[in-house]
Amino acid sequence: MAAFQNMPQAWRRLIFLIPVLIITLILASGLYTGSLPKPRMPKVVFDDSHNPFNSQCQANQTPPNLDSLPDIIRALWQPLILPITAPRFVTLDGTEKLLPPQNELVHTQPMGKRICILDVDTRDLAGEGSIFYSEGVPPWDKLGSPSAGFLSHYLYAQIHGYSYKFIRAPQYADRAPHWSKVIFTKELLKEYDIVVMMDYDAMFPSPEVPLEWMLNYWKIDRDVIVAMAEDPAGEPNFDDSEKHKVNINSGFIIAQAGEKSQRLFKDWAECPSEVRYKGCAKWAQTLFHEQAAFSTHVRYDFLDGYSIETHPQYIRMLPCQEANGIPEVSGSGCVGHLVRHYWGRKGLTNREFGHNVMAALTPLLVQAAYKEPGHVEDLRSKVLKGAEVLDKPPAR
């Protein structure tokens, strides 16, 4: 047991939780239909005073409730979570991202439930591979691409202790369903400090990176009303104005609460009605709908006649390389270092979701199965003859 005692306490703690996660997932997925007695778990002591992972984990962590799947998820990812103030992060492709100096950081403490990860969708999503499957829980091998994306958003929220909402939006008679994301982001900003609205095909490739770290990295301070990624710089991704600038992409929206936010989102939502923006009615049904409306009209005339050019502190355009696209469309210049958007390969959301889950489970399983005594017999130092296996029976 010496190796186990020398193992970082965070890992020892989480190895105990693997059986709980497996049992919980079986029950949650409907694969087990009988009844199980409540499992008796070993007492887990949460004394991290000598834990070498402390510098890599968020402060003020509380012991997980073993009856709560969200708490178990948070505990499993805890050793991997990047601190909000970590000076650097290396992306999956090896690109280094550096935070500003510590005295310039916007966030130093977790925001928790004050951040809401938001999904908005008008579809039924009741087929066999969908999250609202009418006959039960969808099996993994038939999980649809939209459901994989939605589940990854829920997972990300639980990892970091954020709120999560899924709005099954109504139909709007005068406009395409895409507009519902603007309307409900505005409404959720009445309840939360920050709302992150994501299309199902927008996903976090490194779910261990908290949103607060990204806000620090992108320097999204309290003045910023909304932040969205740029689209690839090529046709048809230019606005319809005389400026002919690259569109924003509304598949990933970071919005911050406040009176200015309510005004901007109200004007944006009313754009097709031409209350403020003449010529915007065309975007009610025409591609690219709400993002074309924002790109062509709203960003050039918001609040008290402000423009993104005269008041850039209110609207943040995120680099396409970091918050849009995927490696498979790297020729567009958009590879999604921090946020991937699978508009070019929507069927790959399942792969991304699988990576999100296994990124945490794989090191735990390797540690439990191959780094601890009891599972591996190492005979490499022996020299044997013929059919001999051992020179003496193994110890039991």
Side-chain angles (χ1 to χ4, degrees), residues 168-239:
R168 305 190 75 176
Q171 299 291 333
Y172 289 90
D174 64 338
R175 63 189 65 191
H178 310 73
W179 280 94
S180 59
K181 68 175 76 172
V182 181
I183 297 167
F184 285 97
T185 298
K186 174 183 179 296
E187 288 304 303
L188 267 292
L189 283 171
K190 297 174 183 177
E191 302 179 34
Y192 300 97
D193 291 353
I194 294 178
V195 174
V196 180
M197 200 298 308
M198 304 181 74
D199 286 356
Y200 83 79
D201 57 347
M203 306 173 75
F204 296 102
S206 300
E208 71 273 18
V209 181
L211 182 72
E212 296 94 334
W213 191 93
M214 289 185 250
L215 297 177
N216 283 332
Y217 175 73
W218 285 320
K219 299 181 180 180
I220 298 177
D221 59 23
R222 288 302 306 164
D223 285 337
V224 177
I225 298 173
V226 63
M228 291 177 279
E230 295 177 330
D231 254 343
E235 294 294 348
N237 299 323
F238 293 99
D239 68 40

Side-chain angles (χ1 to χ4, degrees), residues 220-221 223-228 248 254 264-265 268 277 294-295 297-303 306-309 311-318:
I220 298 177
D221 59 23
D223 285 337
V224 177
I225 298 173
V226 63
M228 291 177 279
I248 60 89
I254 300 174
L264 184 148
F265 273 85
W268 187 6
Y277 304 108
F294 188 95
S295 299
H297 299 282
V298 179
R299 64 175 168 177
Y300 299 125
D301 179 18
F302 62 94
L303 299 180
Y306 297 166
S307 164
I308 190 173
E309 296 169 325
H311 292 77
Q313 68 268 34
Y314 294 123
I315 297 175
R316 182 63 46 82
M317 305 293 289
L318 306 177

Side-chain angles (χ1 to χ4, degrees), residues 6 76 91 128 169 175 202 222-223 247 264 266 272 289 292 341 374 378 388 390:
N6 293 329
L76 284 168
T91 66
E128 185 178 11
R175 63 189 65 191
R222 288 302 306 164
D223 285 337
N247 283 340
L264 184 148
K266 179 178 182 292
H289 310 105
H341 197 170
D378 190 350
E388 187 181 9
L390 293 174

Side-chain angles (χ1 to χ4, degrees), residues 364-375:
L364 291 174
L365 292 170
V366 170
Q367 181 69 46
Y370 304 107
K371 304 297 184 181
E372 294 302 309
H375 298 289

